């Protein structure tokens, strides 16, 4: 009996450590869904970074050669409207998922009008292309604080980031978490919370559907 209790306690400790490690890894890698320039190092002091678009310095377009007429604001409807020269969406929700992770993806599925309004407003503020605006809004909705910090650094002359670019490493990371890690964590949580096995679950329990 004592041996069984010892094994149960050991198994519980192992699973607790494993889940804690996976959660820690998830917390530290989620922000990497949006590309960050390696040349920028945050100061050691703690500062409060605003995440309101209207409160930031006016961002500069990554591509200054873009000259199409930007969207305009309709005061009667209080909505941003695309101009006749505004191009179609360069990519859909899955493109946002691969660039910015799950948050912009879900937003485009559930609140597509709000997403488009943010894109049109950014296009009007910066005179940039729709592709560049979508990339920036994907990064903003994924991690507003990091995005705002990057824009502040760009206003000070730091290198600019092309958020519309889809980097293979970034896409692989997103897909890996979506297909492998998240279901694994969900399966573990379900077995621990909804079955009589509790923290004594094994790998056989996890993969025995």
């Amino acid at each position: 009996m004592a041996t069984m209790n010892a094994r149960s306690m050991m198994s519980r400790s192992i699973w607790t450590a494993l889940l804690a490690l996976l959660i820690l890894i998830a917390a530290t890698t989620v922000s990497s869904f949006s590309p960050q320039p390696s040349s920028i190092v945050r100061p050691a002091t703690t500062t409060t970074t605003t995440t309101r678009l209207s409160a930031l310095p006016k961002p500069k377009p990554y591509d200054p050669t873009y000259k199409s007429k930007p969207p305009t604001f309709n005061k009667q409807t209080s909505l941003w409207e695309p101009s006749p020269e505004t191009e179609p969406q360069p990519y859909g929700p899955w493109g946002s998922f691969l660039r910015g992770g799950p948050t912009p993806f879900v937003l485009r599925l559930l609140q597509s009008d709000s997403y488009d309004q943010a894109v049109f407003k950014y296009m009007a503020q910066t005179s940039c292309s729709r592709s560049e605006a979508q990339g920036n809004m994907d990064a903003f909705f994924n991690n507003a604080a990091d995005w705002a910090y990057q824009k502040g650094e760009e206003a000070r002359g730091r290198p600019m980031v092309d958020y519309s670019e889809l980097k293979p490493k970034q896409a692989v990371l997103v897909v890996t978490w979506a297909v492998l890690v998240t279901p694994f964590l969900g399966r573990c949580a379900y077995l621990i919370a909804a079955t009589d096995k509790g923290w004594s679950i094994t790998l056989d329990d996890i993969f025995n559907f």
Side-chain angles (χ1 to χ4, degrees):
M1 186 69 178
T3 303
M4 293 181 59
N5 290 336
R7 290 179 178 177
S8 177
M9 292 180 62
M10 182 179 295
S11 176
R12 183 182 305 175
S13 299
I14 292 173
W15 279 111
T16 301
L18 178 61
L19 288 176
L21 177 61
L22 289 173
I23 292 173
L24 178 62
I25 294 173
T28 56
T29 57
V30 164
S31 63
S32 66
F33 287 149
S34 58
Q36 299 295 328
S38 57
S39 59
I40 294 179
V41 179
R42 289 175 181 260
T45 57
T46 302
T47 58
T48 301
T49 304
T50 180
T51 56
R52 292 182 56 190
L53 293 176
S54 58
L56 292 170
K58 181 180 178 180
K60 299 178 181 179
Y62 185 85
D63 180 12
T65 63
Y66 182 82
K67 300 299 181 183
S68 296
K69 184 179 178 180
T72 56
F73 185 73
N74 188 324
K75 294 183 178 180
Q76 293 182 343
T77 62
S78 297
L79 295 174
W80 290 94
E81 298 177 349
S83 73
E85 300 178 12
T86 299
E87 58 270 29
Q89 291 185 357
Y91 56 84
W94 283 108
S96 294
F97 177 78
L98 293 176
R99 288 169 175 80
T103 303
F105 171 76
V106 173
L107 180 64
R108 293 191 68 175
L109 291 180
L110 302 181
Q111 300 181 34
S112 59
D113 291 340
S114 297
Y115 177 88
D116 287 339
Q117 283 296 297
V119 170
F120 292 150
K121 181 177 181 179
Y122 189 84
M123 291 179 67
Q125 288 180 337
T126 62
S127 299
C128 72
S129 66
R130 189 167 186 169
S131 176
E132 183 176 334
Q134 283 196 190
N136 275 271
M137 290 302 94
D138 291 340
F140 174 80
F141 290 123
N142 174 56
N143 192 324
D146 281 356
W147 180 88
Y149 179 85
Q150 167 61 26
K151 290 303 171 182
E153 292 299 295
E154 291 179 2
R156 297 182 181 92
R158 294 279 189 163
M160 300 182 68
V161 173
D162 182 7
Y163 287 106
S164 64
E165 179 185 2
L166 178 58
K167 297 183 178 180
K169 181 179 178 180
Q170 175 186 340
V172 170
L173 177 63
V174 174
V175 173
T176 299
W177 275 98
V179 176
L180 299 178
V181 179
T182 302
F184 179 81
L185 291 175
R187 176 68 173 169
C188 291
Y190 168 77
L191 291 174
I192 292 171
T195 67
D196 55 1
K197 294 182 180 298
W199 288 96
S200 300
I201 59 175
T202 65
L203 288 176
D204 290 337
D205 297 326
I206 296 174
F207 295 106
N208 184 22
F209 293 94

